[in-house]
Amino acid sequence: KRRGENAQALIDLNQSLQDKDKQLAITGEMLHEAIELVASLRAEIEMYRSGKKELEALNQVLKDEHQALHLAFTHQEAKLRKLQNENREMVERLMKYKSKDAEKLNEENENFLRKRDAKLKKELEDAAKDTRGISPDKILKDFATPIMCSTGVPTKAFLKFDAHDGEISAVKWSSVDQIVATGGEDRKIKLWDISKGTVESKGVFIGCNKGVMSVDFDSNCSRLIGASNDFASQIWTVADQRLRHTLTGHAGKVLAAKFLGESTKVVTGSYDRTLKIWDLRSRSCIETKFAMSSCNDLVTSDGSGSTIISGHFDKLIRFWDLRSEEPTNTIQVNGKVTSLDLSKDCKYLLSCVRDDTLRVLDLRMNQIVGTFSHDGFKVGCDWSRAVFNAEGQYIAVGSLDGSVFVWDVGTGKVEQILKDLHMSAVTAVSWHPYDNSLASVDRSKRVVIWKN
């Protein structure tokens, strides 16, 4: 019985041993899996530690870069403030220099006026000492002679002289006496009196920093305006020849400048594709019109100056109303428009075109009514100026070969070709408002006055 019990106990123990072996094997497998998981987690932890170190290094680099950029920004900000201060100082210095230059110009003009007055006073004293009698018949004859406006065409040269130190780009008659203004590449505008049959200088207007492209008088010839290649226009008073205003604001050459109806407003056209209107009382630009093309010349079509007509390099003539920003009308021609001029009654507009033609527009019908050309006529430059005479019966323009062509507007035929006195291209002409005197200027500093 005991042996049987021991056998049974042995069987139970063997069975228990087998169960324990199975549990031990399962536990071994779990332990192995745990060891592998621990190794994997350790590797992952190491990877995260490595990534953390890289991120910390990158963060430090970014901090360093931020610090460097902050320092650079601070340095640039200080440099900007310094440059702004220097710019302010330079502007103030420039204004002081300009003020000194203006004072110097005014002083020179005053000295010139004093000398002129002294000379005039001496001439008057000498005339007062002259006791020679004057014939009453001569006095009656002089006062009985009416003032007539001649409509003839000039046929020969009355005077010729060299006016500037270089090319002359502008010429304009004064409506007072026989005085003509010229503007040249030497940065000067000069007045010339030809009433005595000889050339007498009546003054030099200085203040432009580059060549003068256009000159014009106001309605009573008390002021003179000049447009210049220095991106500005200058205004002087004619009596004392003092520089009164300098109009700056264009970003290109100023090719045309005109008084806008009254003497206190001015319109300028520039190579920067804009027209600017200026109020001389406030000394500022009150309006800018964007033309989208370089403006070469302009005119005002009524006495109030409310309508402006401008000629451009894009072959368009633009009509502007001061009350609108955009052109009210445009007319296209076959080439660059080099100049514009109005007839005295403001009914017809003359345009000189780079295709070697002149076009006359009827402003009432708003269309071209006449085209003028000749085999020998060639437009000499991009700013060649053509003009009507006082009655609007004739038009005149200079040619590349140095000739001056005169057409009859009514017949369309060439009335006269004035030649042999200009040795280079004629850039501009101007007809006297009260007689048939015609002034022409060229690129080799010569002025010719033509009469019949």
Side-chain angles (χ1 to χ4, degrees):
K1 185 179 178 179
R2 183 175 293 175
R3 188 180 298 170
E5 291 175 352
N6 289 336
Q8 185 63 40
L10 181 62
I11 292 169
D12 292 340
L13 287 173
N14 285 331
Q15 184 65 39
S16 177
L17 180 63
Q18 289 177 359
D19 292 339
K20 295 293 183 182
D21 287 338
K22 288 180 181 179
Q23 289 180 0
L24 183 62
I26 292 171
T27 303
E29 290 178 0
M30 291 176 63
L31 179 62
H32 180 71
E33 289 176 358
I35 290 172
E36 289 180 350
L37 180 60
V38 167
S40 173
L41 290 174
R42 283 179 178 173
E44 192 172 352
I45 289 171
E46 190 64 29
M47 182 182 68
Y48 284 142
R49 284 176 179 172
S50 176
K52 178 184 175 184
K53 289 181 181 179
E54 290 179 358
L55 289 174
E56 287 176 348
L58 180 61
N59 184 45
Q60 187 61 40
V61 170
L62 290 175
K63 284 182 179 179
D64 294 341
E65 288 183 357
H66 176 266
Q67 186 68 22
L69 289 173
H70 182 71
L71 292 173
F73 173 75
T74 304
H75 176 69
Q76 293 295 332
E77 193 176 24
K79 188 176 180 181
L80 175 62
R81 283 196 296 269
K82 182 180 178 182
L83 289 174
Q84 287 176 338
N85 293 332
E86 290 179 355
N87 181 60
R88 194 178 302 110
E89 291 175 359
M90 290 179 69
V91 170
E92 291 175 356
R93 202 180 310 157
L94 177 63
M95 295 303 295
K96 288 180 181 178
Y97 286 152
K98 282 192 172 183
S99 177
K100 289 181 180 179
D101 289 342
E103 291 175 359
K104 186 177 179 182
L105 289 174
N106 292 335
E107 185 180 351
E108 291 177 356
N109 287 332
E110 287 173 359
N111 290 334
F112 174 78
L113 288 174
R114 280 198 294 269
K115 291 179 182 178
R116 188 179 67 179
D117 292 341
K119 181 180 178 183
L120 181 60
K121 184 177 180 181
K122 186 175 182 303
E123 290 177 352
L124 290 174
E125 290 175 353
D126 293 341
K129 293 176 182 178
D130 190 355
T131 58
R132 291 177 295 175
I134 301 176
S135 169
D137 294 336
K138 186 177 186 302
I139 295 175
L140 291 174
K141 181 180 178 182
D142 291 341
F143 278 92
T145 303
I147 299 175
M148 300 295 291
C149 181
S150 173
T151 59
V153 176
T155 56
K156 61 182 180 180
F158 175 67
L159 286 172
K160 59 179 179 178
F161 57 97
D162 291 341
H164 291 263
D165 298 326
E167 178 178 341
I168 307 175
S169 300
V171 61
K172 184 73 175 181
W173 283 101
S174 166
S175 59
V176 179
D177 299 326
Q178 291 280 313
I179 293 178
V180 64
T182 58
E185 194 66 26
D186 59 0
R187 303 176 294 178
K188 298 175 183 177
I189 296 176
K190 298 183 179 182
L191 291 186
W192 308 93
D193 187 352
I194 65 162
S195 59
K196 299 177 183 177
T198 58
V199 180
E200 180 183 355
S201 175
K202 301 298 288 186
V204 179
F205 298 80
I206 54 179
C208 298
N209 294 318
K210 287 189 178 181
V212 178
M213 299 303 297
S214 168
V215 295
D216 190 38
F217 291 96
D218 66 352
S219 56
N220 56 11
C221 292
S222 63
R223 292 188 176 192
L224 178 69
I225 185 170
S228 172
N229 284 336
D230 62 358
F231 303 177
S233 300
Q234 284 76 22
I235 298 171
W236 298 263
T237 44
V238 175
D240 56 9
Q241 299 168 20
R242 294 185 67 174
L243 179 63
R244 297 295 180 178
H245 305 281
T246 297
L247 308 177
T248 58
H250 280 293
K253 300 175 182 178
V254 183
L255 301 175
K258 300 288 176 63
F259 287 98
L260 194 58
E262 52 188 302
S263 298
T264 58
K265 285 188 177 180
V266 167
V267 57
T268 57
S270 170
Y271 200 76
D272 66 1
R273 304 179 181 183
T274 66
L275 280 68
K276 289 184 180 289
I277 299 171
W278 310 81
D279 188 337
L280 301 184
R281 290 167 295 192
S282 61
R283 301 183 179 183
S284 63
C285 174
I286 58 175
E287 188 175 355
T288 298
K289 295 187 180 296
F290 297 91
M292 309 306 293
S293 176
S294 299
C295 174
N296 207 14
D297 201 8
L298 51 83
V299 293
T300 57
S301 65
D302 55 14
S304 63
S306 62
T307 303
I308 302 169
I309 307 173
S310 56
H312 298 268
F313 278 23
D314 64 356
K315 306 179 184 180
L316 287 180
I317 299 172
R318 290 175 169 86
F319 296 77
W320 306 86
D321 190 315
L322 294 187
R323 295 164 292 188
S324 62
E325 295 182 358
E326 298 294 326
T328 57
N329 187 31
T330 59
I331 293 179
Q332 185 167 7
V333 291
N334 295 329
K336 296 178 183 177
V337 181
T338 71
S339 75
L340 298 175
D341 190 44
L342 274 176
S343 61
K344 196 171 183 180
D345 59 8
C346 295
K347 294 179 180 178
Y348 296 95
L349 176 70
L350 172 65
S351 64
C352 181
V353 186
R354 207 64 170 94
D355 65 351
D356 301 326
T357 64
L358 303 183
R359 307 292 174 93
V360 173
L361 289 79
D362 189 327
L363 298 180
R364 297 164 297 181
M365 298 185 294
N366 206 30
Q367 64 182 20
I368 298 173
V369 295
T371 301
F372 303 85
S373 62
H374 188 273
D375 291 340
F377 170 64
K378 302 291 181 184
V379 176
C381 60
D382 284 342
W383 56 91
S384 184
R385 310 298 190 191
V387 292
F388 280 110
N389 75 330
E391 295 78 20
Q393 183 181 356
Y394 300 104
I395 54 177
V397 67
S399 179
L400 179 64
D401 64 356
S403 302
V404 177
F405 285 77
V406 180
W407 281 271
D408 187 312
V409 176
T411 64
K413 295 180 179 179
V414 173
E415 193 73 17
Q416 189 71 40
I417 301 177
L418 307 170
K419 53 186 178 180
D420 298 332
L421 288 180
H422 288 291
M423 299 296 108
S424 61
V426 176
T427 55
V429 296
S430 178
W431 225 309
H432 195 281
Y434 299 120
D435 63 26
N436 72 326
S437 300
L438 181 67
S440 58
V441 297
D442 64 25
R443 306 189 80 162
S444 57
K445 69 185 180 182
R446 174 164 288 188
V447 179
V448 180
I449 308 297
W450 308 87
K451 288 179 178 288
N452 60 7

